Amino acid sequence: MAPEQLAHVLSPLQVGPVTLKNRIVSSAHLTHFARDHLPSDRHVYYYREKARGGLGLIVMEASAVHPTSAQFPTVVFAFDERVIPWYQRIAEAVHEEEAPVLAQLWHCGHHAAWNTTRQPLLAPSDVPCLYYRETPKIMEHEDIRTVVEAFRQSARNVRDGGLDGVEINGAHSYLLAQFMSPATNRRDDEYGGSLENRLRFALEVMEATREGLGDDRVLGIRLSADELIPAGYSLNEGVEIARRLVAGGRLDYLSVSVGVYPTLFMVMPPMAIPPGYQVYAADRVRQSLRQAGSHLPVSTVGRIKDVRMADKIVESGQADLVCMTRATIADPFLPKKAALGQLEDIRPCIACNQGCVGNAGRERHITCTVNAAAGYEETRGDGALAPAERRKRVAVIGGGPGGMEAARVAALRGHEVVLFEKGPELGGQVNIHARAPMRGEFKEITDYLARQMNKLGVDVRLNTEASEGDVLSLDADAVVVATGSVPGRSLDSPFRPAAVAESSEVLTMWEVLLEQREVGQRVLVVDEEGHHPAMNVAEFLADKGKSVEVITSLQHVANQLLLNLETPLLMTRLLSKGVALTPYTVVSGVNGRTVTLTGVAGGVERRVEVDTIVAVTGRRPVDDLYFALKGKVPELHRVGDCLAPRYTDQAIHEGHSVGRAV
Ligand code: SF4
């Protein structure tokens, strides 16, 4: 697509005192890069990379305005003057790349943790957070004044740090939103009850923040225009809230999102939710503001990954700015590539929520499943890929994501690369998993890698199983073994052996998804991974009308998926399709069609009649070729599952490392 066809999203926009070069925004997202409540070098490189990629506006992660907002030990303290030199470093690095950068100021209210704050949590009422269940202190008037002043002080620090402005977080059921929402504000004083009262705190915060920041900086606010819970406010009230905030504050833009903690899966949704699902909210807010005579820029968000969709949103007047946040974690150079018309080269976000929020939710620093440089920009970012000193002949064995990434990076560095794939197509296990309901988008990453390998001239040999002799006859300087893994059929759990022989009667999930084996009507899925695969195979079978029960020895089904992001939709679908989900249970015996199930710690025993058992109980590395070649080739590497069976994240990360190392 020619860049002129993206003219709307790539056009400049004036936001307060700052001119953005385009409408593509990276919205605030927690990174867990902070140390001692201060930004780190990792932040500097991370935001600089986004600026180099051509983003129109970068909003840094939510930073606490007060110690009572320390949700995690890795939250940046914007109120602490030690933050100023860090802001200066970030501002300098980002401004050098000609992008503006804002701090997001935030108080998380009842979502904080006493464990971190060592103070009672603050909230408008004694409503605990849905997830952490810690009852907060009801804010007294002096607490309100303290937090308002904390916003003012933090805004001064932002200004002294040379950043371009502040976005106030008034969304996603954090403190400002806790005051706005009838679900969390049960006060009967001037800060509760009527909408006017519920907005009083937000308006006071906006005023103090503007005063601390000054008029020559950008001030925006983020708002959930639709809380998506029955006890909260709906879009109609959200639109009215937006109008009143805009009328009452000296704002330069409004960032419109939806959802609160109980509906967090609608804030950072998985691939089951279609791209652009939040645009309706920004559209309604923007229309209402325009009717009221306001021309304030409005931004939208929500899994928008395709720059053509972003362009349409701007063209149709649904929003003025488009947050493409995960899309630019997956590829920070999306805006530059779009401007050059290189849409095929944009590495797609697949909404897997594994590397980014999957890690953030576990208080680990963010990465990206598909972008091995995310979080490692200092050593892997733009300009850090050195051309090979000597062009080598590199053989890659295996066309899954790890092998493909190794081939791509090695070829980018100038090596001559040949890749052998024993199957008829590239993609490896991704092709199997993408057959499951709502998981098809996974394939976009291997399609991208295939396109890039093709462009780089990698010699891909499909339907070619490379033997030891084949590899040795190539006389390659370096060999990368990426031969993957195979699933087992064991019914054992680490807690209790099943006391049954491994049997070919037990199906693997691959055989089921590839429809290679017949599946009976009553199916028992035995899961020891706690990740997507068992859930996916259960849904796949339920969709075919099978009666399915999933058992696991883990403390709850799918315990590796984030409770607030991945499981709500998944569980809702599985339960509505009649899938039984049984935790803390193992197979203790199989006798024909009768399976005995027992609690992990013994106790309750149950017998069920099943026609088919599907095991999702672990995989074994396919590493024969690696060991056969060991000591016989000048350079030998292995990546991904053939090293240890794990996930796409590790395969791509290791493939990337080897591509740089050969
Ligand atoms: Fe997108 Fe997955 Fe990367 Fe997150 S980890 S940015 S969801 S591809």
Side-chain angles (χ1 to χ4, degrees), residues 128-148:
C129 162
L130 178 77
Y131 295 116
Y132 308 127
R133 309 306 296 158
E134 191 173 326
T135 303
K137 175 194 174 197
I138 299 169
M139 288 173 78
E140 296 167 60
H141 284 190
E142 53 268 35
D143 296 319
I144 290 175
R145 279 196 297 279
T146 297
V147 174
V148 169

Side-chain angles (χ1 to χ4, degrees), residues 269 271 325-331 348-358 367-371 374 442 445 649:
M271 58 184 89
T325 308
R326 284 181 292 174
T328 52
I329 296 175
D331 193 340
C349 167
I350 53 173
C352 62
N353 279 351
Q354 290 175 193
C356 57
V357 278
T367 61
C368 174
T369 302
V370 302
N371 174 14
F442 233 108
I445 186 55
D649 308 53

Side-chain angles (χ1 to χ4, degrees), residues 243-280:
R243 282 174 76 137
R244 293 188 188 202
L245 292 180
V246 170
R250 290 178 280 158
L251 288 172
D252 296 313
Y253 76 95
L254 183 67
S255 173
V256 176
S257 182
V258 300
V260 287
Y261 260 50
T263 47
L264 214 55
F265 54 89
M266 294 301 280
V267 180
M268 292 157 285
M271 58 184 89
I273 302 284
Y277 67 97
Q278 291 196 23
V279 176
Y280 75 98

Side-chain angles (χ1 to χ4, degrees), residues 527-595:
D527 180 26
E528 287 300 330
E529 292 190 5
H531 217 277
H532 274 292
M535 303 297 108
N536 295 161
V537 80
E539 189 170 10
F540 180 85
L541 291 170
D543 284 350
K544 293 188 179 304
K546 310 289 184 189
S547 161
V548 185
E549 176 169 5
V550 180
I551 66 154
T552 181
S553 69
L554 304 171
Q555 69 273 43
H556 60 86
V557 174
N559 82 339
Q560 291 304 297
L561 302 183
L562 285 184
L563 270 177
N564 48 6
L565 289 181
E566 296 294 319
T567 49
L569 290 170
L570 187 60
M571 294 303 159
T572 305
R573 291 204 309 273
L574 288 171
L575 293 172
S576 71
K577 292 173 184 180
V579 176
L581 304 167
T582 313
Y584 236 48
T585 298
V586 294
V587 172
S588 55
V590 178
N591 184 3
R593 290 179 188 270
T594 307
V595 178

Side-chain angles (χ1 to χ4, degrees), residues 48-49 52 333 373 377-387 660:
R48 185 185 69 175
E49 188 84 346
R52 284 186 173 173
F333 287 80
E377 287 77 11
E378 181 180 5
T379 52
R380 291 181 168 192
D382 183 47
L385 187 69
R660 284 176 175 268

